[in-house]
Amino acid sequence: MRVEYINPFVEAAFNVLREVLQSDVKRGELYLKSTSMPVMGVAAIVGLAGDVEGRVLFDMDKPTALKIASAMNNEELASFDDLAKATITELANMITAQAITKLHDLGFRFDLTPPAIFTGDNMEVSNADVEALIVPMETGHGKIEINVAVRERA
Amino acid sequence: MTAQTERETEAAESAKRAEKVDFKMITFSLAGKEYGVDIMNVKEIAKAGRFTYVPNASPFVRGVYNLRGEIISVIDLRIFFHLPAERKEEEALESLIILKIDEHVFGVIVDAIDKVVGIASVSIQPPHPIFGDINVKYIKGIVENGGKLYIILDVEKIFAPERAEDAPKAGPSDARGAPSPREAEAAVNAGAGGDISASFVKETLAAFRGFYVTGINEEWFAGRYAEWKAVRKDSDLQLKEASEADEFLEGFWSPDTGALWDDDYASAVEAALPPIEAKSINVWNPGCGKGYETWALACVMRKRYPDARIKIWANDSDLLAISMAPNMVFPESIPEYYRPFTAKGRNGLVFAQAVRDSIFFEFHDVMNANTLPPLDIILCRDMLSFVAPIDQKRLLGDFYDKLKPNGIVLCGASERLGEGWSPAGTGAVKAFRRDQ
């Protein structure tokens, strides 16, 4: 993944999370991963197209997702219902969109596809031939892992 | 030997040696050789004879002995180690070392007990695999003291608790079960052409600097090692700290490694690059680090192939190093070669847009899959040697698969690609072409 793409995603995730959660957010150490990886329970995915192809995956466990959805809606959500799902989807959309806006300013043309959300236990994402950048974010409500896999269109 | 004399001997020894004494051993002779056992395993020493014969015991068990009311079994070390043992007179007194291992006490007959020797445990050298009479796994190490070499026996291993329990029945062959780690290690060392120091240096290079000696750099290593040996003499060959590893590697680096190539080297690379007819040229630069060499190559290629569309994929798994690469700013003192490709930036010289557009700096681990198109040139100077051997092999396979038929690999000055590659470099530029 091009070096220029990294910071916009990290910054966007940091800014958006801090804004919507109104709390401190810490960024973990970035690393690369290429094997199939388990998903913690809730995964929102946004596709990227344009000069590049790829996807951004937001991965968190259910209690974290519920707490974040509750915080964003300013009300206590009891179960991971449609509202909660829509909220997490929106969060994914906000972060990706902000990152892409930043990239646009740097001269990179990206489009994004509407986000989708997956929930369930023992899920695994496997596209072993794609190397993903993992951006771990520690929020007051739990950990979110942002998994970015982007490559130039050959 | 009384406690008094013991102390005297010890004092004399420590006076002789300025080193810190933290290991004491009882020394004895057996069939003309000097041995030692850790004093912590020795309960006492004694002279005794007329052992009570135990029927049906292993040949090395001379019998049992009444040591002040405690009945202990007595082992003849000569027979135990399959050394020739002369028949003694019935009444003769034997030198006996009474060992205590865990809760078990037994006597060991040796030829003569010498003295207590204090040594620094750091001075104990590992046993050599071709040691001789005694199986190497029974030996803790070897140490020099007062002009004599002592073989330190690992009595705990020899008389392991389960054997001591029924020592009269067990034979020495029982102890030859699974090979001990020491033995395995010794076998590895022996495999490396018998030169333990050389293999030790290889190990430490890997440990300190992640430098792996393989077919790629073996030639360089052999030469450098010979040099090192000549300078250091035989006594001080090993690399004891990272700075020594750096010193050893000094001659390894290619000219201008990790830096912008100077005018001479840049021109040399330009001359070494093969003619390429294609409209677009693809280059891969794995392990580009801070990216200086990538920029250098980009300029060299612009000059060599002015009409081609050049794409360079440069990647490194060190995010900190590579993150500065795309926006590098250079001082005015940049080598002349690059001047035509630069433009004035706010803080210094930057490379022209055309050069910038030709490079993709990527945060990427070469061990992960990538989707590079067929390549014309791979630049990997001084990089393969720092990849673990198994990954080196994979990476070379990857190079082979991804290169176009006439593609070349630019590698480090001290590196050679092996089978399947033929030299294609000129002068200071080392390059290899893929065999068809």
Side-chain angles (χ1 to χ4, degrees):
Chain A
M1 177 157 131
R2 282 186 73 162
V3 177
E4 291 94 328
Y5 300 161
I6 297 174
N7 259 337
F9 277 101
V10 176
E11 277 170 26
F14 188 80
N15 292 342
V16 171
L17 283 172
R18 202 176 47 181
E19 204 179 307
V20 301
L21 298 175
Q22 302 285 333
S23 74
D24 225 16
V25 179
K26 268 195 288 224
R27 175 174 70 76
E29 197 69 30
L30 308 185
Y31 61 97
L32 292 166
K33 210 166 185 178
S34 124
T35 47
S36 65
M37 48 191 301
V39 171
M40 289 188 263
V42 177
I45 188 166
V46 186
L48 299 173
D51 291 350
V52 296
E53 50 195 13
R55 50 120 183 110
V56 188
L57 188 85
F58 297 81
D59 182 19
M60 63 202 92
D61 61 18
K62 240 184 201 149
T64 307
L66 201 58
K67 275 190 242 167
I68 288 175
S70 301
M72 285 174 72
N73 282 303
N74 246 334
E75 62 173 299
E76 205 58 44
L77 298 177
S79 67
F80 200 65
D81 54 11
D82 283 350
L83 177 62
K85 284 178 192 162
T87 312
I88 297 299
T89 315
E90 182 52 21
L91 177 69
N93 215 1
M94 284 164 79
I95 294 176
T96 316
Q98 197 179 102
I100 280 171
T101 310
K102 283 173 194 281
L103 283 165
H104 201 275
D105 295 341
L106 294 172
F108 300 105
R109 303 268 178 276
F110 282 65
D111 287 323
L112 66 167
T113 64
I117 191 160
F118 302 85
T119 58
D121 298 323
N122 294 326
M123 290 194 301
E124 198 180 84
V125 183
S126 45
N127 38 1
D129 59 333
V130 175
E131 185 185 53
L133 168 76
I134 313 291
V135 186
M137 285 290 187
E138 197 66 55
T139 74
H141 303 285
K143 192 172 80 170
I144 303 182
E145 266 191 13
I146 303 168
N147 176 321
V148 191
V150 188
R151 66 177 179 220
E152 307 305 296
R153 209 177 262 289
Chain B
M1 200 183 288
T2 64
Q4 178 70 37
T5 51
E6 243 181 71
R7 240 177 282 133
E8 275 169 19
T9 331
E10 181 206 310
E13 284 301 328
S14 49
K16 252 189 278 171
R17 297 175 75 97
E19 281 174 277
K20 190 170 155 269
V21 171
D22 58 353
F23 183 88
K24 284 185 201 157
M25 57 183 189
I26 301 267
T27 62
F28 60 89
S29 60
L30 191 70
K33 282 201 180 115
E34 305 295 329
Y35 295 87
V37 291
D38 188 346
I39 203 163
M40 300 309 286
N41 294 123
V42 179
K43 187 166 178 277
E44 58 179 283
I45 52 180
K47 284 255 185 201
R50 281 180 295 164
F51 306 113
T52 309
Y53 175 72
V54 179
N56 212 14
S58 297
F60 58 84
V61 177
R62 283 282 287 274
V64 291
Y65 177 65
N66 184 347
L67 180 74
R68 293 188 298 276
E70 197 176 354
I71 307 296
I72 61 169
S73 25
V74 175
I75 292 166
D76 191 326
L77 212 54
R78 269 191 183 242
I79 302 172
F80 190 85
F81 286 143
H82 306 296
L83 300 170
E86 64 258 39
R87 204 155 251 299
K88 304 246 175 63
E89 280 173 44
E90 198 67 15
E91 294 294 309
L93 289 183
E94 304 264 24
S95 296
L96 211 54
I97 297 179
I98 315 290
L99 295 174
K100 188 169 186 212
I101 289 164
D102 292 337
E103 287 314 301
H104 306 284
V105 177
F106 49 89
V108 173
I109 299 173
V110 300
D111 289 359
I113 294 164
D114 188 17
K115 59 185 172 190
V116 177
V117 174
I119 54 161
S121 58
V122 289
S123 63
I124 300 176
Q125 312 258 329
H128 195 275
I130 52 165
F131 229 46
D133 314 343
I134 296 175
N135 195 322
V136 77
K137 74 180 161 214
Y138 294 151
I139 298 172
K140 197 178 247 162
I142 183 160
V143 74
E144 185 273 332
N145 185 278
K148 277 188 193 164
L149 284 180
Y150 294 98
I151 297 166
I152 303 174
L153 294 177
D154 194 341
V155 284
E156 283 174 52
K157 217 175 261 166
I158 300 173
F159 306 108
E162 66 271 17
R163 341 182 355 88
E165 249 166 66
D166 56 0
K169 281 179 213 130
S173 57
D174 291 14
R176 300 205 181 107
S180 68
R182 195 190 305 274
E183 195 172 34
E185 208 174 276
V188 168
N189 287 341
D195 193 339
I196 291 188
S197 294
S199 67
F200 203 80
V201 169
K202 288 182 192 176
E203 297 268 319
T204 37
L205 283 176
F208 283 131
R209 283 295 173 250
F211 180 93
Y212 299 93
V213 178
T214 63
I216 286 172
N217 46 33
E218 213 157 35
E219 215 177 300
W220 172 82
F221 178 83
R224 178 71 180 121
Y225 181 69
E227 238 176 79
W228 186 258
K229 224 168 159 172
V231 174
R232 290 294 187 113
K233 305 292 176 257
D234 274 346
S235 58
D236 195 18
L237 280 173
Q238 292 165 9
L239 312 175
K240 286 178 284 298
E241 49 198 304
S243 61
E244 283 190 298
D246 288 340
E247 200 186 325
F248 190 92
L249 287 179
E250 249 164 32
F252 172 78
W253 307 104
S254 308
D256 300 315
T257 194
L260 267 188
W261 299 336
D262 64 17
D263 293 324
D264 293 342
Y265 193 78
S267 308
V269 174
E270 189 187 328
L273 289 178
I276 298 176
E277 298 293 323
K279 280 265 176 303
S280 75
I281 301 175
N282 299 323
V283 183
W284 184 23
N285 179 203
C288 67
K290 292 199 163 78
Y292 287 101
E293 291 194 45
T294 321
W295 286 111
L297 180 70
C299 294
V300 169
M301 289 190 61
R302 279 235 76 81
K303 203 159 167 204
R304 178 77 176 79
Y305 313 109
D307 301 323
R309 207 165 66 98
I310 297 159
K311 274 190 179 176
I312 304 177
W313 283 266
N315 43 238
D316 204 286
S317 57
D318 181 350
L319 183 56
L320 255 150
I322 199 177
S323 56
M324 297 307 292
N327 298 308
M328 211 178 301
V329 178
F330 294 91
E332 287 285 344
S333 57
I334 192 169
E336 272 313 305
Y337 191 96
Y338 307 102
R339 211 162 277 281
F341 306 102
T342 54
K344 268 224 164 12
R346 255 178 305 163
N347 305 316
L349 291 178
V350 293
F351 280 105
Q353 197 61 39
V355 180
R356 301 167 73 89
D357 286 348
S358 65
I359 306 178
F360 303 114
F361 283 108
E362 294 182 319
F363 178 39
H364 166 63
D365 187 337
V366 288
M367 290 308 134
N368 292 340
N370 59 45
T371 50
L372 292 167
L375 300 163
D376 296 281
I377 296 168
I378 294 174
L379 172 67
C380 62
R381 299 198 322 153
D382 304 341
M383 175 257 178
L384 285 169
S385 301
F386 293 88
V387 175
I390 184 156
D391 294 334
Q392 247 176 44
K393 224 171 169 177
R394 242 189 67 194
L395 204 54
L396 271 178
D398 213 19
F399 284 4
Y400 195 92
D401 292 342
K402 290 208 162 92
L403 268 186
K404 289 182 187 170
N406 270 322
I408 61 163
V409 176
L410 295 170
C411 64
S414 311
E415 295 174 318
R416 307 272 175 283
L417 306 190
E419 224 174 291
W421 301 88
S422 40
T426 51
V429 183
K430 289 277 173 295
F432 287 84
R433 179 174 279 112
R434 188 192 119 154
D435 289 345
Q436 300 306 312

